[in-house]
Amino acid sequence: MTEIIIILEDIDPVVLFGTNNSLLDKIRSFFPKIKIISRGNEIKCMGDEDDIAFFAEKFNEIIDYYKKYNRLDEQDIEKYFFDPEHMKSASHGHFEEVIVFGTSGKPVRARTVNQLQLVKDYSLNDLIIADGPAGTGKTYTSIALAVRALKNREVKKIVLTRPAVEAGERLGFLPGDMKEKLDPYLQPLYDALHDMIPFKRLETWIEDGTVQIAPLAFMRGRTLENAFVILDEAQNATMSQLKMFLTRMGASSKFIMTGDTTQIDLPKKNESGLIQAMRILSNIEGISIIKFDERDIVRHKLVKRIVRAYENEENGNEKKK
């Protein structure tokens, strides 16, 4: 009789095994000759050597499937054992265009022309600048690429940052310590991550520094190597801040800056570092600049009309000057 122990890493056993071990029981049903005992994040298996080796191989494939797609149910398990190619083929066909699978198993895809361009340019460039109106999926698509890169071990960490435009006197009136004061500015980044990474795994990654979320000012003095770094709301970074940010790039890193140059909250709009960066970096090899527009808006249909109305208003004011 052979005995092995499989330790589950970065996986919530409750989710993988199902409520009241329903999913584990389903897996057990395919291995009647093996005794399978679960304790916390460990699986102990006892049986003949050949049966144990076969189980370990199949169980690890199931774990890989769960890690990739963030989902596992009884139908997945049944399809896998009745059709051994099911999980291997899941990454082909209509899954080809999927960037990453969300926490509920929902695929996150590039849904517009410029989102597709962002995905394509990611593989060809180390710095991407994405400028466009709200709701075009610039940040969400970028974070999906970052999560995929981390899962595929292309990078060792994800760093998400935003300028805290009101980090002066207004912020001082908010209750709490510095983290509590700054978290509201960073909440959209947390929201996107929660859509794509299971809660406990994200919590672990934040605690050990694999995922870092911080205001732009905290980037000073750092060298970011083997990292996927996203600067959101880049239009609110000053010229000096943006230069500081760009010079943080270390070896084997990918940088994406997203922003909307029509929504600059700086006291002097002409000090936006994003406008300057798009102008002076446009012809440098290894840098891609993508202009999103209202055709890329994937929120409520009214958002497109709202953006168009504001553009028409601004264009009308420009003509009057």
Side-chain angles (χ1 to χ4, degrees), residues 99-256:
I99 303 172
V100 71
F101 286 82
T103 49
S104 61
K106 181 182 178 181
V108 178
R109 292 184 173 92
R111 297 167 59 187
T112 71
V113 172
N114 283 313
Q115 287 179 15
L116 286 167
Q117 189 66 47
L118 178 57
V119 174
K120 179 182 176 183
D121 286 4
Y122 161 77
S123 62
L124 302 172
N125 301 274
D126 289 335
L127 170 62
I128 297 174
I129 301 174
D131 174 41
T136 51
K138 307 179 298 295
T139 302
Y140 200 80
T141 304
S142 299
I143 291 177
L145 287 170
V147 172
R148 184 182 71 179
L150 184 61
K151 288 187 173 183
N152 291 344
R153 302 191 178 183
E154 297 168 17
V155 296
K156 292 183 178 180
K157 60 188 172 186
I158 295 173
V159 179
L160 306 179
T161 184
R162 268 185 160 199
V165 174
E166 295 179 345
E169 58 182 9
R170 290 193 192 178
L171 198 63
F173 289 107
L174 294 175
D177 58 20
M178 183 57 69
K179 182 181 182 301
E180 292 170 330
K181 290 174 186 286
L182 291 168
D183 271 355
Y185 291 92
L186 306 172
Q187 191 59 48
L189 305 180
Y190 285 106
D191 291 343
L193 286 171
H194 280 301
D195 279 356
M196 301 175 204
I197 303 174
F199 179 79
K200 285 195 174 180
R201 192 186 307 174
L202 177 58
E203 201 173 49
T204 299
W205 280 350
I206 290 175
E207 286 177 1
D208 66 19
T210 301
V211 173
Q212 301 173 21
I213 308 174
L216 181 57
F218 286 29
M219 297 297 108
R220 188 173 299 278
R222 301 184 63 185
T223 299
L224 301 170
E225 297 183 344
N226 295 304
F228 197 122
V229 186
I230 298 173
L231 170 58
D232 191 33
E233 298 290 342
Q235 78 277 2
N236 288 329
T238 64
M239 296 177 188
S240 60
Q241 284 178 324
L242 210 52
K243 181 182 177 183
M244 176 274 292
F245 170 74
L246 291 172
T247 53
R248 301 306 94 199
M249 184 180 286
S252 303
S253 287
K254 293 275 190 175
F255 273 42
I256 295 182

Side-chain angles (χ1 to χ4, degrees), residues 61-76:
E61 287 178 3
I62 290 173
I63 290 174
D64 289 342
Y65 178 89
Y66 171 76
K67 283 183 175 179
K68 182 170 185 180
Y69 301 119
N70 283 325
R71 59 161 286 166
L72 185 69
D73 57 28
E74 291 190 19
Q75 286 186 330
D76 290 324

Side-chain angles (χ1 to χ4, degrees), residues 33 50 99 131 195 207 227 251 262 277 285 288:
K33 295 181 180 180
D50 290 344
I99 303 172
D131 174 41
D195 279 356
E207 286 177 1
T262 68
E285 185 177 353
S288 169

Side-chain angles (χ1 to χ4, degrees), residues 261-320:
T261 50
T262 68
Q263 292 190 3
I264 298 170
D265 298 319
L266 294 170
K268 296 180 181 179
K269 294 189 176 183
N270 60 358
E271 290 185 353
S272 172
L274 183 60
I275 294 175
Q276 180 193 48
M278 288 193 296
R279 184 178 72 251
I280 66 177
L281 302 178
S282 60
N283 295 316
I284 296 179
E285 185 177 353
I287 299 176
S288 169
I289 298 176
I290 305 171
K291 293 286 291 183
F292 285 70
D293 56 42
E294 65 178 49
R295 293 170 296 179
D296 297 297
I297 293 175
V298 291
R299 291 181 183 169
H300 194 287
K301 60 185 179 181
L302 277 178
V303 177
K304 288 187 179 182
R305 299 174 189 171
I306 291 168
V307 170
R308 191 180 302 123
Y310 274 93
E311 286 180 349
N312 291 339
E313 172 74 9
E314 289 169 5
N315 291 335
N317 290 338
E318 286 294 323
K319 290 178 180 178
K320 292 177 182 178

